[in-house]
Amino acid sequence: MAEQSTPTNLWVERTGTRRYTGRSSRGAEVLIGSESVEGVFTPGELLKIALAACTGMSSDVPLSRRLGDDYSATVEVSGAADRENELYPELNEILRVDISAMDPDAQQRLLTVVERAIDKVCTVGRTLKAGTTINLDIDVDA
């Protein structure tokens, strides 16, 4: 039977006008705010970073298996917001990794395995593609 881990609690706390700190029960923190605030990520930027990180982590096993544990990779992500509808209609990723030492057939096989791995295990990408239900409760202190 698989060992179940304790779920990580996540929350944000308001620290100023349009400024929040995102926290996890594992001790991680991220600064969040509007574009006009220096040194913070906007919520939309965090969404994009989550997608890029998920893509990178999902591709890690097949790439390290073929290229070694010390390979370098960068995942760039972009996409303009549609401000009229307040959503990102399209997000574009570029996974940059040097596989030039491999022959073309080996490159294509590796890219196919990497794409399949990302499609199968990138929870963030799968969620964005499928859509999800979001439930909001507002707890008002009396």
Side-chain angles (χ1 to χ4, degrees):
M1 185 171 167
E3 185 178 321
Q4 293 193 359
S5 62
T6 304
T8 301
N9 294 322
L10 302 171
W11 68 97
V12 297
E13 295 175 357
R14 186 173 190 267
T15 58
T17 303
R18 301 197 39 85
R19 290 184 65 106
Y20 288 77
T21 298
R23 301 185 191 281
S24 83
S25 58
R26 293 192 331 268
E29 294 184 351
V30 63
L31 302 179
I32 307 162
S34 62
E35 285 183 359
S36 62
V37 178
E38 285 296 316
V40 301
F41 290 105
T42 68
E45 290 167 341
L46 288 174
L47 175 77
K48 293 178 198 176
I49 287 173
L51 177 62
C54 192
T55 294
M57 292 175 68
S58 298
S59 66
D60 200 70
V61 170
L63 287 172
S64 63
R65 189 177 299 139
R66 182 62 179 91
L67 303 175
D69 286 335
D70 62 345
Y71 80 94
S72 294
T74 302
V75 182
E76 298 173 9
V77 61
S78 63
D82 171 350
R83 289 298 172 209
E84 184 176 319
N85 295 300
E86 287 300 329
L87 59 82
Y88 293 97
E90 181 176 281
L91 296 174
N92 302 293
E93 294 182 285
I94 301 172
L95 171 58
R96 297 196 187 279
V97 61
D98 184 0
I99 58 173
S100 60
M102 300 170 68
D103 69 70
D105 288 338
Q107 286 180 7
Q108 191 54 54
R109 284 191 304 273
L110 178 58
L111 294 177
T112 298
V113 170
V114 166
E115 288 175 359
R116 285 183 184 154
I118 293 166
D119 286 343
K120 183 177 180 182
V121 300
C122 178
T123 305
V124 176
R126 292 174 59 85
T127 299
L128 290 170
K129 287 176 185 176
T132 192
T133 301
I134 300 171
N135 302 304
L136 171 66
D137 289 329
I138 299 176
D139 184 9
V140 180
D141 292 333

